[in-house]
Amino acid sequence: MNGENSKVCSRRRRRLLRGIATGALLGSLPPGLVACGAGIARGDAPAPALSPPAPATEPVAASAGTPEAAAEVVYWPGGARGSYREIGESLGRLAKPHFGELRDASDAYERVIDLAGGPFSSLAAEYLERTRARFPRLLEELEGMASAMEQPFEDLFAWNCRAELFAAEQASKGAEAPPENATPGCSTVGLTRAGGLLLAHNEDGAEAYRNHLILLRATPPSGVRFLTLVYPGTIPGNGPGVNVRGVVQTTNFISTRQVTPGVPRYFIGRA
């Protein structure tokens, strides 16, 4: 993505998320923690618990954004609940058709699979071992996603390590500049003022994700319900979200030049 395309995408994504956050989809958020903009939260009033999950219904395509930048997100009013694997299965069913279209539009998925199964197989194996040791429940969630999406678990795990694997590929070439697919993305600004906090987040992303994002409402085994924006094929935690305890999370990305074994960033975001 070049600089100009990135700016256009940024403007469109801001308008898209502003429409999502100010629409009826987020009407269940507590009044003291209202999302607006691309993940803006206000903390100038105590945040009561989220309203009980709505009865289970079929996922819907909800219109969002302004007239000049209208887009759709997939939203499931009833939400996903159950074990981590069951939540992953629910998300996988929502993501499957969108992920297929995204995969057809880019060779990134095949490239990262080749990296994980070839020159960086030992690094991918180390990522899997460390993630399993620290966050086994998140791998259960990913296994559910892979099953519902009809993708091999190893391939989907590699996709969720793409930031690290692409950075490792670039580092192996000795190049100083990060690759095009590692362009820094997103910005978060916090402003304190009398009586509260204003948190603003701009969600940058590839234009290919337009009309393919998922607004997920989930109740995991912990009982801490959350609402978050999800990229198809990626575990929740990369997009902005809010949970029942009034915690708002946003993610900003700057690619690393030095790659070492550890827990991949998408799993840290989900944890």
Side-chain angles (χ1 to χ4, degrees):
M1 182 184 300
N2 59 38
E4 185 60 32
N5 286 339
S6 179
K7 292 178 183 178
V8 171
C9 181
S10 175
R11 290 194 295 270
R12 289 177 176 173
R13 188 59 57 84
R14 282 198 296 270
R15 290 193 289 265
L16 164 62
L17 292 178
R18 185 179 302 117
I20 294 172
T22 57
L25 294 183
L26 301 190
S28 62
L29 287 179
L33 194 59
V34 178
C36 56
I40 297 178
R42 300 184 60 159
D44 48 6
L50 291 175
S51 59
T57 61
E58 292 297 316
V60 297
S63 179
T66 57
E68 67 272 20
E72 291 185 347
V73 293
V74 178
Y75 176 60
W76 189 6
R81 60 186 67 125
S83 67
Y84 286 99
R85 183 180 178 89
E86 289 170 334
I87 290 176
E89 290 172 346
S90 296
L91 180 55
R93 285 191 290 271
L94 293 175
K96 182 179 178 180
H98 299 274
F99 188 73
E101 291 185 32
L102 291 167
R103 183 175 176 179
D104 291 341
S106 172
D107 66 348
Y109 189 64
E110 282 67 27
R111 284 181 54 214
V112 77
I113 291 172
D114 289 342
L115 292 175
F120 302 103
S121 58
S122 60
L123 182 62
E126 184 74 16
Y127 287 148
L128 179 58
E129 180 180 345
R130 300 222 180 177
T131 305
R132 194 177 301 281
R134 295 296 302 275
F135 305 112
R137 66 186 186 279
L138 301 187
L139 291 184
E140 292 176 14
E141 189 169 284
L142 190 67
E143 287 169 352
M145 285 178 56
S147 175
M149 293 173 62
E150 298 183 340
Q151 297 292 322
F153 168 77
E154 294 78 8
D155 292 353
L156 202 61
F157 178 79
W159 181 243
N160 280 266
C161 301
R162 60 187 179 276
E164 290 80 8
L165 291 172
F166 282 142
E169 178 190 36
Q170 189 70 9
S172 70
K173 298 176 180 178
E176 294 185 0
E180 183 176 339
N181 54 34
T183 301
C186 306
S187 302
T188 301
V189 177
L191 175 65
T192 58
R193 60 180 185 178
L197 167 71
L198 183 68
L199 178 67
H201 177 76
N202 178 59
E203 182 73 5
D204 290 330
E207 183 69 13
Y209 285 105
R210 185 176 177 79
N211 295 329
H212 294 293
L213 295 175
I214 298 168
L215 189 62
L216 177 71
R217 182 176 186 172
T219 306
S222 67
V224 181
R225 297 191 300 276
F226 62 88
L227 184 72
T228 187
L229 195 67
V230 182
Y231 290 75
T234 303
I235 60 174
N238 185 40
V242 57
N243 72 14
V244 70
R245 294 179 179 172
V247 176
V248 176
Q249 174 175 301
T250 64
T251 300
N252 305 320
F253 174 67
I254 299 177
S255 181
T256 181
R257 299 183 191 276
Q258 297 180 345
V259 181
T260 57
V263 177
R265 77 179 188 95
Y266 289 129
F267 293 94
I268 293 175
R270 175 67 179 86

